[in-house]
Amino acid sequence: MPDPQDQVRHDASSLYRFVDSISVFTGFQTQSPAYLSASKLFLSYIHELGEKTKEYLTTFHTKTPSDAASYNIYRQELSVLRSAWSEIHRRVKPTADADTLHLPASLLWIFVRRLNTIPDFADVDFAVFHTEQLNYLQVVAKGIRDTAARIATFTGATPFPKQIGLIGIPYSQSETILLNCLIAHEIGHFVFGEKKLRDSFAKDIIASLTTHVAPVASLVNPDQLRWLPSILADHAEELFCDLFAIRFLGPCYSFAFIEILDLPNILDSSRRLNDTSSAAYLEFSESHPAVLFRIQQHTLLLERLSWWVHISGLTSHHRSVLEEAKAIPRANFKFSLFGPIANEVLNAFFALVPIVDRAVEGILRTLDTGLADYEKNKDVIAKYLIHGVVPSSIFDTDEKPSHCSAPIAVLNVAHMIYLDRLEELIARIDHQDANRVKDRTRWMAKLEMWTSKALEDYQLLSMRNK
Amino acid sequence: MTVNSESRSRYLALALASRNAINSLMAFKEVGTADEQLRGALKDVVESLKATTDQNNLFGAPPTESPFAHYEQMSALGEVVKTLKDKDIILHLSHVLTATHDEREKDIAEALQFFFALESRALHHYGSQIGAREA
């Protein structure tokens, strides 16, 4: 009769080999100097976790229970550990691929330092991994942190470093600045989780559903009703992250959002919403509010923060997307998944929007919006960029000494030039034609390079002045 | 519901939380004191189970950060409860920490079987999503 302990020993050995392969990989990567410090810390931690897991597996079989009732309960821990390490495996190489040569390192540094000024986030830093999707990911990253933290409790490893978050960015966007403003939304997810806002919102979500949906509950399957709290919580989180990002960065977040989703496609030639192209963007999904609802909320917040006055004069169709979204009546939004009770479900969500607004403002109330600095220096920064000069320091003849352009101002000015004033920049250059896509593309890239350099110089000067 | 990384992540979180509960229960069985992890897990699971089985509760458990509270996780809980048929699992889970010594053995045994079944179910759903088309 085979000894159960022999079976467990074999299976533990197999898992040991799998974990060892990941641990060896991470151990090798941490020798390289070319990582963000948080990424290095993450890879080091995974290496240590791997070593502890191997140690744990070495003696796992010796505690195999002899009674049949307990055997399967005990044995299944190996399956759980294998699944957990499979999940970690998926993200280790993408993190190793995201060395500093393939990351917008200065932009990330600026975002982290800005986050560090917010109470409760003074020590936070982010490890970064590449994704093959053209998408930015933190929600999945939270799962990796939680998975690693749980493995630590089984194996006796040190707990996952609480101050380290994880963000996924598309591998192809390492040198872009403007699209990478979307990272601010992922930072919002990290903040949402750390502040346990899902727990905070839970009662309000149930109360709102009770008010708006309970009266029509008999129209749908009870399973659909039980799905609703999770859906509304997910929607509230996505809205929080959008509003957080705008409060954190200003309109450049909205512009990046509009660009990555190619939202100008929903406009017709007279810049009004095209009914056919825009229809899908009026739909709420199980995971996200409708895109045009999100844009509507962006616009409302930009107005409340007084950024709108600097956007309303743009000729860019991105401005039109924001304006058209703002004008959409709430009755036009759809949630087809919930059929006969869709309107009531939407009303339940709409009732949560002020609560989300207040949560964002509560957390970020001490953070300077960057608007005052933008208003003061936008013309000078724009003049530098239009003339192909990196706006690392502003010489203000009325005010001395010279000072660094604040990153929020630089990012927003750069984005507005990208949208509205490329012709002006290109007109200054011999043999370049703003009507040619190739020329236009070249100078879009140059604009991002100069902006990136300004952020690098800000980083260097800030570190020197410490 | 569409398959995506987040669903997979939630099923794995449920499996891991169940395993933490199992390990804490085994330790509790041996030494007689319950750690915070076990207290938290029992509280969260009982709350989710009550919400799932209460016919008057239209919307189920409040959507908290608990690994037993998201829709997929509560669905898995519901699947396990169905397989338990007559067993009053909510009663056993609620009594684990407060039962007398004689009753405790039985409550711990039922709780272990429950979390083992839940972990199995979660692992199955997690594994079935690997290789599926991602949303």
Side-chain angles (χ1 to χ4, degrees):
Chain A
M1 179 78 166
D3 183 348
Q5 195 173 98
D6 289 343
Q7 290 167 198
V8 173
R9 184 178 57 215
H10 173 88
D11 297 337
S13 302
S14 166
L15 180 53
Y16 182 108
R17 292 181 68 207
F18 175 53
V19 173
D20 186 46
S21 65
I22 301 171
S23 188
V24 163
F25 181 85
T26 51
F28 175 71
Q29 297 306 322
T30 53
Q31 307 303 315
S32 167
Y35 289 108
L36 298 176
S37 55
S39 294
K40 236 181 164 169
L41 185 59
F42 172 72
L43 290 170
S44 292
Y45 179 79
I46 296 299
H47 176 72
E48 185 216 318
L49 192 66
E51 295 302 300
K52 274 292 186 187
T53 303
K54 282 162 31 182
E55 202 179 299
Y56 181 74
L57 289 171
T58 308
T59 56
F60 186 83
H61 67 285
T62 61
K63 301 181 211 91
T64 307
S66 51
D67 63 298
S70 303
Y71 169 79
N72 283 95
I73 296 178
Y74 185 75
R75 166 60 182 83
Q76 194 159 271
E77 182 165 340
L78 290 181
S79 290
V80 173
L81 276 172
R82 184 175 283 275
S83 297
W85 274 101
S86 297
E87 201 61 22
I88 289 177
H89 172 271
R90 297 176 69 231
R91 301 300 170 190
V92 164
K93 183 156 191 314
T95 304
D97 286 344
D99 58 47
T100 51
L101 293 175
H102 298 94
L103 283 180
S106 295
L107 186 70
L108 284 163
W109 186 91
I110 280 156
F111 286 173
V112 168
R113 291 301 160 278
R114 193 158 163 76
L115 182 66
N116 292 160
T117 64
I118 299 169
D120 298 335
F121 296 98
D123 298 321
V124 167
D125 202 351
F126 288 96
V128 180
F129 61 90
H130 280 166
T131 82
E132 72 278 7
Q133 299 169 41
L134 187 59
N135 202 352
Y136 292 78
L137 304 172
Q138 199 288 146
V139 179
V140 164
K142 177 180 182 302
I144 299 297
R145 291 178 68 214
D146 293 346
T147 300
R150 295 264 183 195
I151 295 174
T153 62
F154 299 165
T155 59
T158 52
F160 191 89
K162 276 185 78 71
Q163 77 278 19
I164 300 296
L166 281 170
I167 287 177
I169 74 170
Y171 69 87
S172 60
Q173 301 307 306
S174 55
E175 291 174 25
T176 66
I177 291 293
L178 300 182
L179 259 192
N180 279 321
C181 289
L182 292 169
I183 290 171
H185 177 99
E186 307 312 318
I187 296 175
H189 277 298
F190 177 82
V191 168
F192 190 92
E194 291 300 298
K195 285 294 209 181
K196 300 193 193 308
L197 290 179
R198 198 175 176 95
D199 291 351
S200 302
F201 290 169
K203 281 207 175 85
D204 291 309
I205 288 171
I206 297 295
S208 191
L209 285 169
T210 304
T211 301
H212 295 280
V213 178
V216 293
S218 61
L219 296 176
V220 292
N221 185 311
D223 267 351
Q224 282 198 291
L225 295 174
R226 287 181 178 206
W227 195 9
L228 278 169
S230 292
I231 286 180
L232 259 59
D234 289 347
H235 286 180
E237 178 166 355
E238 293 300 332
L239 180 62
F240 173 90
C241 295
D242 273 358
L243 301 182
F244 175 95
I246 289 173
R247 180 68 177 74
F248 196 71
L249 279 191
C252 56
Y253 170 74
S254 292
F255 298 144
F257 186 93
I258 289 168
E259 175 131 332
I260 201 170
L261 294 179
D262 193 21
L263 289 178
N265 183 55
I266 63 175
L267 301 173
D268 63 25
S269 54
S270 57
R271 302 243 186 134
R272 306 307 302 272
L273 276 187
N274 176 281
D275 287 343
T276 305
S277 311
S278 64
Y281 296 100
L282 294 168
E283 276 281 355
F284 278 61
S285 75
E286 65 184 71
S287 57
H288 289 73
V291 167
L292 283 173
F293 180 81
R294 294 170 71 178
I295 298 282
Q296 186 179 84
Q297 296 304 309
H298 290 195
T299 313
L300 292 171
L301 181 57
L302 288 166
E303 285 181 343
R304 290 200 298 277
L305 295 174
S306 305
W307 278 105
W308 186 254
V309 65
H310 301 289
I311 301 168
S312 58
L314 292 177
T315 57
S316 165
H317 48 346
H318 283 55
R319 185 211 81 226
S320 306
V321 171
L322 292 164
E323 279 175 341
E324 288 293 297
K326 184 190 167 190
I328 298 172
R330 280 190 170 176
N332 287 19
F333 292 109
K334 310 270 179 255
F335 204 169
S336 302
L337 207 51
F338 284 91
I341 65 168
N343 289 339
E344 288 79 8
V345 172
L346 286 175
N347 288 337
F349 175 67
F350 295 152
L352 299 172
V353 171
I355 297 170
V356 174
D357 275 335
R358 283 196 293 274
V360 172
E361 195 44 43
I363 292 168
L364 295 181
R365 67 183 176 283
T366 59
L367 184 74
D368 173 17
T369 61
L371 179 64
D373 182 71
Y374 171 86
E375 287 178 334
K376 184 163 177 269
N377 292 314
K378 62 180 170 59
D379 294 333
V380 178
I381 296 170
K383 194 173 176 183
Y384 272 50
L385 286 171
I386 297 279
H387 284 79
V389 177
V390 175
S392 300
S393 63
I394 303 279
F395 284 88
D396 185 330
T397 52
D398 294 331
E399 193 175 313
K400 292 177 172 47
S402 62
H403 54 277
C404 292
S405 317
I408 302 303
V410 170
L411 281 168
N412 282 289
V413 171
H415 216 134
M416 301 221 199
I417 293 174
Y418 172 83
L419 292 175
D420 247 32
R421 299 176 69 180
L422 272 179
E423 290 82 3
E424 205 177 324
L425 187 164
I426 295 172
R428 312 185 75 82
I429 303 156
D430 285 345
H431 313 299
Q432 296 295 294
D433 182 353
N435 291 316
R436 284 204 296 253
V437 168
K438 267 192 154 174
D439 290 351
R440 213 173 170 88
T441 307
R442 178 181 302 123
W443 294 103
M444 284 175 172
K446 291 279 189 192
L447 175 66
E448 291 212 71
M449 277 169 52
W450 301 329
T451 308
S452 176
K453 188 70 181 74
L455 300 181
E456 283 173 32
D457 290 346
Y458 180 87
Q459 178 185 356
L460 288 169
L461 288 166
S462 299
M463 287 163 72
R464 185 199 68 179
N465 290 340
K466 257 198 171 169
Chain B
M1 234 179 10
T2 50
V3 170
N4 58 34
S5 306
E6 289 166 39
S7 288
R8 192 166 52 228
S9 186
R10 286 175 194 136
Y11 283 124
L12 180 60
L14 179 60
L16 287 164
S18 300
R19 176 50 49 173
N20 274 140
I22 289 169
N23 289 352
S24 294
L25 276 165
M26 306 247 222
F28 178 51
K29 189 177 170 181
E30 265 185 58
V31 302
T33 48
D35 60 25
E36 269 317 303
Q37 202 158 247
L38 180 59
R39 290 180 192 283
L42 288 169
K43 177 178 169 297
D44 287 347
V45 163
V46 167
E47 186 176 336
S48 288
L49 283 173
K50 281 181 177 169
T52 307
T53 52
D54 179 358
Q55 299 301 319
N56 294 322
N57 183 343
L58 288 173
F59 302 111
T64 63
E65 289 285 356
S66 160
F68 303 104
H70 208 281
Y71 178 74
E72 292 96 335
Q73 294 155 348
M74 290 186 53
S75 285
L77 273 168
E79 288 167 14
V80 170
V81 165
K82 277 190 194 147
T83 64
L84 297 174
K85 293 179 189 165
D86 309 328
K87 290 187 183 179
D88 192 346
I89 190 61
I90 295 178
L91 186 68
H92 289 299
L93 294 173
S94 304
H95 277 177
V96 164
L97 300 180
T98 56
T100 60
H101 186 270
D102 291 343
E103 293 169 336
R104 189 190 295 167
E105 288 285 317
K106 180 155 172 60
D107 287 329
I108 290 177
E110 294 291 347
L112 279 168
Q113 284 298 326
F114 171 78
F115 280 110
F116 170 57
L118 188 59
E119 183 186 65
S120 300
R121 192 68 55 147
L123 283 173
H124 164 73
H125 284 304
Y126 170 78
S128 69
Q129 301 209 359
I130 292 176
R133 235 183 242 175
E134 288 211 26

